[in-house]
């Protein structure tokens, strides 16, 4: 019996030990599982943090690129605005210079809107010198009033070119500064009938007044006329030039007035003395032939020193693109005049 009890006790002890061992193994297994899960959680959190950091870095890169693009676009727009402003300033300078040359006095004329407003209702006294709008080109010129107001209109004589026109008084304005041409205006005033139809022949714009012949001032007593020349519309662009630069330069060089007509067929009309019309027409032909080639040359080729007659010291490429047209026009006119002189010899 003692042996049996001893054996039973040993069995129970063995079972207890086995149970404790199994429990220890279970606890160790659970701990290992918790540690594995914790490690996976930490790894997952680390991966998520890296993903968020990568997305943040990508967003910052995209934002930086967008900011750089916006900066470049703003600089481009600013440069274009500056260029446009420079072009406008250059065009205004050329127009101002042309206006000063046209008056042959070297001073600009200002208009008194206050005086014009008060005179608009009653018109202007016969013989007074005013600013008047010429229907032929839509420009304002010094003119002398030839008649009293009739149906809201007055006849005027344009002192620079000698044209006459019946003008609505709202297109007549008083001068704030006396016109330098006023002394040349005729003293005797008569109302003139409307001019006849335009002609391709020379039509002297002059009339006797008190025994004197009224002609364009400063033209040496020569009469003024117009002549129409055929010129396809496709050539009008190059002859007009950028902001009218070409035609103004030709007018300044020849002393003639040039206008363009599209209908019924392409043509140009040149107004001035016979000599001025001849010189202007030769300039038109020469410039029309030379200017496109010169523009291409100045834009694409390197210029050697002395190669250009108008700019003998110019060499290399023109960095300022706004100067291409003025240089090309000056060179074309100079070459055309040189050719004209050669032909005359």
């Amino acid at each position: 019996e003692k042996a049996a009890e001893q054996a039973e006790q040993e069995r129970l002890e063995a079972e207890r030990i086995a149970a404790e061992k199994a429990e220890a193994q279970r606890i160790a297994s659970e701990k290992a599982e918790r540690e594995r899960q914790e490690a996976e959680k930490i790894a997952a959190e680390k991966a998520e943090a890296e993903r968020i950091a990568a997305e943040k870095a990508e967003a910052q890169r995209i934002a930086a690129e967008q900011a750089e693009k916006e900066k470049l676009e703003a600089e481009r727009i600013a440069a274009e605005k500056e260029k446009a402003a420079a072009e406008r300033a250059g065009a205004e300078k050329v127009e101002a210079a042309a206006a000063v040359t046209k008056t042959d006095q070297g001073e600009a004329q200002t208009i008194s809107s206050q005086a014009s407003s008060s005179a608009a209702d009653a018109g202007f006294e016969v013989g007074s010198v005013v600013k008047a709008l010429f229907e032929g080109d839509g420009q304002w010129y010094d003119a002398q009033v030839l008649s009293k107001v009739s149906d809201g209109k007055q006849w005027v004589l344009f002192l620079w070119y000698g044209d006459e026109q019946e003008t609505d008084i709202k297109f007549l304005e008083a001068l704030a500064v006396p016109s330098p041409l006023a002394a040349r205006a005729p003293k005797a005033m008569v109302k003139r009938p409307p001019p006849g139809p335009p002609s391709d022949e020379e039509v002297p714009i002059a009339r006797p007044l008190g025994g004197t012949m009224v002609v364009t001032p400063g033209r040496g007593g020569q009469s003024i006329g117009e002549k129409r020349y055929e010129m396809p519309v496709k050539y009008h662009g190059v002859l007009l030039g950028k902001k009218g630069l070409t035609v103004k330069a030709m007018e300044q060089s020849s002393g003639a007035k040039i206008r363009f007509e599209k209908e019924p067929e392409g043509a140009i009309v040149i107004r001035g003395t016979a000599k001025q019309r001849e010189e202007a027409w030769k300039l038109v032909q020469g410039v029309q032939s030379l200017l496109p080639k010169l523009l291409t040359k100045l834009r694409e080729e390197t210029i050697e020193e002395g190669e250009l007659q108008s700019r003998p010291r110019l060499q290399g490429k023109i960095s300022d693109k706004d100067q291409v047209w003025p240089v090309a026009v000056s060179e074309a006119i100079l070459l055309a005049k040189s050719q004209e002189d050669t032909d005359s010899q």
Side-chain angles (χ1 to χ4, degrees), residues 86-98:
E87 288 180 349
R88 286 195 300 270
E92 291 172 357
K93 185 176 180 181
V94 171
E95 291 173 358

Side-chain angles (χ1 to χ4, degrees), residues 19 130 145 151 155-156 165 176 200 204 207 215 227 277 280 309 338:
V130 298
V145 178
D151 297 328
W155 277 89
V156 297
Q165 171 184 290
D200 189 51
R207 60 188 178 86
V215 296
K227 191 166 184 178
R277 291 198 305 274
Q309 294 185 27
S338 299

